[in-house]
Structure formats: C-alpha cells, structure tokens
Amino acid sequence: MKRKVAVCVGVMVAVAGGVAGAAEPTASAKVAVVTAPVQAAPVQAAPVQAASVQAASVQPSPAMAGPAMASDPVAQPAPAGQAAPAIEMAPVDPATPGVAAPVTVLSPAPLVEAAAGGAPVGGTVAQRAAPDEIHAPAVLMVMPHVSSVGTATDRVVTTFAVGLLGTQAKRVNGLALSLGANWVGESLSGGQLAVGANVVRGAASGVQFAVGGNVVTGELEGLQSSVGLNVVRGATTGGQFAVGGNVAGGALSGGQFSVGANIAGSGGVGGQFSVGANIAGGALKGVQASVGANVAPSMVGLQAATGLNYAKEMRGAQLSLLNVGGDVSGTQVGLLNIAGKVDGLQLGLINVARESQGEALGLLSFIGNGQANVQLWASDIAYTNVALKFGSQHFHTLLTLGFNPGTDTHRRRYVAGFGFGTHIPVGRVFFDVDAIGSSVHADNLFRDGDGLNVLGQLRLVAGWQVAKRFALIGGITGNTLVTWDNGDRWEELGIGPEWRSVSDEGNTTVRVWPGVLLGVQL
C-alpha cells in the first residue's frame, strides 16, 4: 500500500511539474481525474484526503491538443482574464484502494517508472544493418575489388561478369569468365569458365570449366570439368570430369570420370570411371570401373578392374584379377577371389570363402563349409592312388597322383592328374561325377622320352558316409589314352574290351577301355 501511495505522489508531482513548466498567464485547463481501482488485498492505512489543487492557467500546446480535449468542455481553456478552475480530485475510499490518474495521456517520467519498479523508458539499441547488395546486369573487373561497380565486389549480384585476373561476386545468375579465377561468395546459377580455378562458397547449379580446378563448398547440380581437380563438399547431382581427380564430399548422383582418382565421400547412385582408382566412402549403387582399384564399403552393382576390387558388402558382380568382399551376394570372377560369406558364384583360379551358400569353381577352392577330403583308392591304372578333393558343397577340384610298382611283366609307372567334379549328397550316401586328365610316365614322373600322352577318365563314384570323416567309395571309370608323335602306347594298360584307333600314318593312337576303382575317403 505504501508503494501505491508513493506511485500516486510521484504521478501528481510529475503532472504538476509538467503543467508548471508549460504554464502561461493567459491560459488554464481543467483536467478531469478518474480513479482506477487496483485489485489488492485490503490493508490498514490512513485515508488520503481529497484535495483541490489550484493550477496555474495554461495554454494547451498543439502537441497535447487532441480530439479528447477539443470535444470535452471540461478540458477547454478558460476565457482570458478568468482564473483557471481547480483540478477536481475524486475522494479516495479507504475501503476501495485506488490510484488517481488523469485522463490526459502523458509519457511516463523516469521518476514514475522508477517508483513503479520498471526500467526507464527512452533508451535505444543500435543495430548494424547488413551491407546492401549491388545489383548490376554486367560487371567488368581487373581483379577483385577493382571493377566497374566499385571496390565492394563481394556485394555484387550480377548476370554477367568478365575479369582479367579474376572475378568476385556475391551471386552470379548467369556467366562468369576470367583468365585467372572466378570467385562466388554465396551461390552460382549458371556457369564459370576460367584458366585458373572456379570457386563457389555455397551451392552451385550449372557448369564449371577450368584448367586448374573447380571447388564448390555446398551442393552441386550440374557439371564440373577440369584438367586438375574437381571438389564438391556437398551432394553432387550431375558429373565430374578431370584428368587429375574428382572428389564429392556428399552423396553422388551421377558420374565421376578421371584419369587419376574418383572419390565419393558418402557413396550415392551412379558411376565412377578412372584409370587410377575409384573410392566410395558410403554405400554406392551403380558401377565402379578402373584400371587400378575400386573400393566401396557397400556396393550394389558392378565393380570391374584389372587390379583390385574391394567391397565389404557386395550385391552384384566383381570382375578383377583380385576380388575381395565381405558378404557377397552375386558373382566374383578373377584369378583370386576372397570373401567372408558368399551367396552366389566364385569363378577363379583360387577361391576362398569362410562360408558359401553358392558354388565355387576354380583350380583351388577353399570353402569353410565345403568339401575338404583325401581319397585313397586302387584301380586298373595304378594300384595306389591318392587325391586331394576340395571345393564347395556341390562342386570340387581333384589333384591326383598314382603309382604302380614294377613287376616282371609291367613297368613301373606314375600317373599325375587334375580334375573337376560334382558332388550330390543324399543323406549318408553321395554320388560324385568326375572328369580327370592325367599323364602317364615310366620310372620317373618327369622323365623325358615317354612321348606325349593324355589319359582322360570319366568317373562315376558312389560313397557311403560311415562316419563324419570316413566313407567307403567305389565306382567305374571310362578311360581314354591318346598318344602322338610315336609316343609310348602303354599296351599293358587296360582291362576288359578295348576300342583302338590309329591315325596320322601311325603317329597318333587312341585307346578306350573301362575300369574300376575301390577305396576310402577321409
């Protein structure tokens, strides 16, 4: 309540001071006063006695004169020579606390604001306005800050900019040409052509051609072409062509073509073609083709190289001398194929996989869940034979070696061969169909003078898996021995009926006969 009384006193003092300062001897005004009730809890306080204040006559100024004063007869100035009437104050009811406020609108004085607990009014906050853009349809520049529109070239917005050493603009919505470099601070919508370099600090939509390099720090929607390097730090939608290299920091949607290297930092959809290397930092859908190497953490499509293909996750095909993949769903074709898990085909000289749900065809295939066995058997070709059998679940490779000791009627002989086969499991029983090519030598496996001969065998083998690592095997074979250049015909080989053919004036002989085998598989 004391604070409210202080407010009332402050208001009255401020009003009285303002009236006194503007008073003239020939004018006076009667100001109506109303009581504005204030909602507050009743408190014990001494009642404020109504009082009459005899104010000096005032002449209202034009600033304070308004419709309210003109229409209110009470507020009209008194005639000259008459005393100004007193300011009438309504009595304050002690039971209903209130503050007497004049109807006339006055700006609150700092004293009133301080008494009411508020901040002083009238302070201003200085704000720095952004520099204005300079719009010009065409600009000629010698170099940045030396141009036909003045020195503030960083604020220029233009359609056509031509520079000697370089151009600079805030935005270009057309074309920028220079022998040195083109620099755009905000965005490009059009083209930049330079012998040196083109730089856009924001997004670019259009084309950039340079001998040196092109750089866009934002997103690119268009084409970059340079002898040196093309760099886009954001997403790229379009194409990058360079002799040196292309770098897209964001996702790629288009193509990268270079003699050096292509890098897509966030992968994307499209193609990378280079003589050197293609590197995708994220998942890539499309094609990677290079003479050197292709690298991607995740690839959906095709990787083709003469050197190396690598993808931690591959959905498609890898064609290279060396293919390396984590989880591969598709095909690997190369001299050496390596994968963690394969659901597809591995075709190569050497195939390696931790697990395969597909097939592996090659000279050597090492599959974790595939076949890895040793076969021992006796046949009509040699009494003692051993073979290494390894491959995928249904296809395998055979490396064979046979030895037959010499007797009075038969010479000692060695048989070395290599073959492929298919494996058909049916419960504990399995069937193998193998094709093996061998050569027959006397006394020594690599002895010269035996002539040229090839022994081809087609085997049908049945097996019974007695235990996990032990099986009984047996089967029949079809043997074909071809000798030429008057080589050794090995007349002692063969059992049962024989079919013979001699050609080339007796230099080439073909013999065909059946055979049998019996052994074990470990």
Side-chain angles (χ1 to χ4, degrees):
M1 185 62 187
K2 293 179 179 180
R3 182 173 179 175
K4 296 176 181 178
V5 173
V7 172
C8 294
V9 173
V11 172
M12 294 175 63
V13 171
V15 172
V19 172
E24 294 184 6
T26 59
S28 62
K30 182 179 181 181
V31 181
V33 177
V34 297
T35 301
V38 179
Q39 300 296 330
V43 295
Q44 298 294 330
V48 180
Q49 300 295 330
S52 299
V53 179
Q54 185 69 30
S57 300
V58 296
Q59 181 69 28
S61 63
M64 297 183 61
M69 295 183 64
S71 59
D72 189 358
V74 181
Q76 297 299 323
Q82 295 184 7
I87 299 176
E88 297 180 1
M89 300 289 294
V92 179
D93 188 357
T96 305
V99 177
V103 174
T104 305
V105 178
L106 299 175
S107 297
L111 179 60
V112 179
E113 289 293 334
V121 179
T124 59
V125 179
Q127 295 183 354
R128 183 178 179 181
D132 295 333
E133 295 179 343
I134 302 174
H135 291 261
V139 178
L140 298 178
M141 297 185 187
V142 177
M143 59 185 296
H145 303 296
V146 180
S147 71
S148 60
V149 294
T151 60
T153 55
D154 56 336
R155 295 190 281 130
V156 172
V157 177
T158 185
T159 301
F160 186 68
V162 178
L164 180 61
L165 299 179
T167 66
Q168 182 186 24
K170 182 178 181 180
R171 290 195 306 275
V172 173
N173 299 318
L175 182 64
L177 305 173
S178 77
L179 295 177
N182 294 312
W183 181 283
V184 175
E186 188 172 289
S187 64
L188 168 70
S189 179
Q192 287 179 318
L193 284 78
V195 176
N198 295 312
V199 178
V200 178
R201 294 295 301 274
S205 175
V207 295
Q208 289 181 315
F209 296 96
V211 176
N214 299 308
V215 178
V216 176
T217 61
E219 297 182 352
L220 170 66
E221 185 175 345
L223 174 67
Q224 283 182 322
S225 179
S226 73
V227 177
L229 181 67
N230 295 316
V231 178
V232 178
R233 297 187 63 183
T236 302
T237 303
Q240 290 180 311
F241 299 84
V243 176
N246 297 309
V247 179
L252 171 68
S253 179
Q256 288 180 318
F257 305 85
S258 75
V259 177
N262 295 316
I263 300 175
S266 299
V269 178
Q272 291 180 312
F273 304 88
S274 74
V275 176
N278 295 314
I279 300 173
L284 178 65
K285 295 182 179 180
V287 178
Q288 283 185 318
S290 74
V291 177
N294 298 313
V295 178
S298 178
M299 182 73 189
V300 178
L302 173 65
Q303 283 184 321
T306 58
L308 167 68
N309 288 322
Y310 172 80
K312 187 174 182 181
E313 183 177 355
M314 182 70 197
R315 299 290 181 269
Q318 288 181 316
L319 308 176
S320 179
L321 296 178
L322 174 60
N323 297 308
V324 179
D327 292 340
V328 178
S329 177
T331 303
Q332 286 183 317
V333 179
L335 293 181
L336 175 59
N337 300 313
I338 301 174
K341 183 178 180 181
V342 178
D343 185 4
L345 174 65
Q346 286 182 308
L347 179 62
L349 187 65
I350 301 175
N351 301 309
V352 180
R354 183 184 69 252
E355 179 183 351
S356 177
Q357 302 300 323
E359 302 302 337
L361 299 177
L363 180 64
L364 301 174
S365 297
F366 303 98
I367 310 301
N369 63 334
Q371 303 179 71
N373 307 105
V374 176
Q375 289 183 339
L376 302 171
W377 76 94
S379 69
D380 61 293
I381 302 297
Y383 295 156
T384 304
N385 298 275
V386 61
L388 297 179
K389 176 186 176 184
F390 42 85
S392 59
Q393 298 183 30
H394 299 97
F395 290 92
H396 54 261
T397 301
L398 291 166
L399 297 177
T400 65
L401 180 63
F403 171 72
N404 199 72
T407 63
D408 295 338
T409 58
H410 294 83
R411 293 172 294 170
R412 178 188 299 175
R413 58 181 176 269
Y414 298 89
V415 182
F418 172 79
F420 299 94
T422 181
H423 179 73
I424 305 172
V426 184
R428 300 184 65 179
V429 178
F430 61 86
F431 299 94
D432 290 347
V433 179
D434 304 323
I436 303 174
S438 308
S439 60
V440 184
H441 303 269
D443 294 334
N444 193 308
L445 184 61
F446 303 104
R447 186 185 118 176
D448 295 333
D450 290 338
L452 298 176
N453 65 78
V454 173
L455 173 63
Q457 293 179 296
L458 180 62
R459 308 193 320 174
L460 176 59
V461 180
W464 177 44
Q465 198 71 44
V466 179
K468 182 178 181 180
R469 285 295 180 182
F470 183 80
L472 299 176
I473 60 173
I476 59 175
T477 63
N479 304 302
T480 300
L481 178 64
V482 180
T483 61
W484 59 91
D485 289 344
N486 290 320
D488 193 338
R489 299 180 181 179
W490 291 98
E491 299 290 349
E492 66 268 31
L493 293 181
I495 60 173
E498 177 185 290
W499 178 85
R500 181 189 296 261
S501 174
V502 179
S503 62
D504 193 18
E505 297 179 355
N507 291 327
T508 303
T509 303
V510 179
R511 298 172 55 212
V512 180
W513 72 93
V516 295
L517 66 89
L518 183 64
V520 297
Q521 176 175 286
L522 305 177

